[in-house]
Amino acid sequence: MPRSYVKEARKRVGPKRERIRPIIERLAAEHADAQIALRFRSPLELLVSVMLSAQTTDVNVNRVTTALFEKYRKPEDYLAVPQEELERDIFATGFYRQKAKSLRGTMRMLIEDFDGQVPQTLPELVRLPGVARKTANVVSAELGHPEGIVVDTHVRRLSQRLGLTKQEDPVKIERDLVKLVPRADWARFPHLLIWHGRRVCDARKPRCDDCVIADLCPSSRV
C-alpha cells in the first residue's frame, strides 16, 4: 500500500489516542461474549492449558485436557508418572516431548518455590520452565492481575491494521499497546481483537462492510 495513502488514511481516522476508547467500546458491544477459549477450573488447569496451547488450537487443547485434568489434579500428579506417560497423554497437542519436560519442570518449581500454588505476578510466572511472557500475560490476566497485554497473531495483525503500532516484534507491539489501552482494559482488549479477527477482520479477506470500527480504521476498505 502506498505510503501516501496510509498517511492520508491515518489523517482521516484521527490520532490513535483519540480512537482507542471508541474502538474498545464498540468491540465490547459487538463481541460481548469475547473471552478465553480454553476451558479450565483452577489456576493450575489454566496454566497447563496455556502451556499446551503453543503451536496448536484452543479446540485441540480442550479436547486433550478433558481427560488430562481428570488424571492430573495437582502438581504432584505430573511428577508421579514417567515422562513418557505424560508425553502420551499430551501427544495430540504437538511438540509433546518439550511440553512434557516443561510441565514437569514447572510442577517441580511450583512445589518447591510456591507451596504448590500458581503464582500470579509476571516476574514469578516467567521463572517457570516453558513459561514465556505471552503465557505469563495470559495467566496473570485471567487470574485478575494483568501486568501487560497478550499479543498473539490476531492482536498483532489488528493492532497494525488499526494503526496502533508499526512494530512487528510482539514485545514492541505490547509496549506500544500498554501506552494506549487503559489499564482497566488490558485483560479484555486482546480477547476483543482476537474475536474480531476471527469473526470479521480475517487475515486474507477482512469484511470491512460488516466492521463496527471501519470508520476508525486506516486500513478500512469501506
Side-chain angles (χ1 to χ4, degrees):
M1 189 177 293
R3 187 174 300 177
S4 58
Y5 176 85
V6 174
K7 187 176 181 180
E8 284 301 313
R10 286 181 174 160
K11 189 185 299 182
R12 169 176 54 82
V13 298
K16 54 190 173 185
R17 291 193 179 278
E18 294 179 9
R19 291 184 287 121
I20 191 64
R21 192 168 293 279
I23 286 173
I24 294 172
E25 290 173 352
R26 292 190 202 177
L27 290 180
E30 182 73 5
H31 308 291
D33 55 344
Q35 60 182 343
I36 190 169
L38 296 170
R39 293 197 296 264
F40 58 92
R41 300 166 296 188
S42 68
L44 182 63
E45 291 187 358
L46 167 64
L47 176 60
V48 172
S49 294
V50 180
M51 291 177 71
L52 292 178
S53 68
Q55 306 300 316
T56 190
T57 65
D58 292 344
V59 172
N60 194 33
V61 173
N62 289 336
R63 190 179 299 121
V64 169
T65 56
T66 298
L68 190 76
F69 292 155
E70 293 304 315
K71 180 176 180 179
Y72 303 88
R73 296 174 178 269
K74 55 186 185 296
E76 290 83 357
D77 294 339
Y78 290 85
L79 301 173
V81 300
Q83 178 162 324
E84 293 74 19
E85 184 173 342
L86 179 57
E87 289 176 0
R88 289 195 297 271
D89 290 338
I90 64 171
F91 177 83
T93 67
F95 300 93
Y96 58 94
R97 289 195 180 91
Q98 183 56 50
K99 288 180 180 179
K101 181 179 178 182
S102 295
L103 282 173
R104 286 167 63 84
T106 284
M107 299 307 160
R108 192 171 289 109
M109 184 173 285
L110 289 182
I111 294 168
E112 294 175 354
D113 295 1
F114 299 103
D115 198 28
Q117 303 301 308
V118 175
Q120 299 186 358
T121 69
L122 214 61
E124 290 176 320
L125 284 164
V126 295
R127 286 178 53 200
L128 301 173
V131 176
R133 184 176 179 86
K134 178 184 171 184
T135 297
N137 264 333
V138 174
V139 173
S140 62
E142 293 302 316
L143 294 181
H145 305 278
E147 297 182 48
I149 294 177
V150 177
V151 177
D152 76 342
T153 54
H154 292 291
V155 175
R156 174 175 173 271
R157 182 176 77 253
L158 268 68
S159 294
Q160 292 170 338
R161 284 181 175 175
L162 286 165
L164 304 180
T165 183
K166 298 178 183 178
Q167 303 295 336
E168 294 289 339
D169 179 72
V171 174
K172 293 180 180 178
I173 291 173
E174 181 185 1
R175 197 176 298 149
D176 285 346
L177 293 179
V178 295
K179 294 175 183 176
L180 287 172
V181 178
R183 192 181 183 101
D185 294 308
W186 282 6
R188 70 168 177 169
F189 184 71
H191 295 313
L192 296 176
L193 292 195
I194 289 168
W195 285 56
H196 194 64
R198 289 172 176 168
R199 291 171 167 174
V200 180
C201 195
D202 184 75
R204 296 183 179 178
K205 194 175 181 181
R207 298 186 1 251
C208 298
D209 289 337
D210 300 322
C211 181
V212 295
I213 54 174
D215 61 314
L216 299 172
C217 178
S219 304
S220 173
R221 302 175 186 178
V222 177

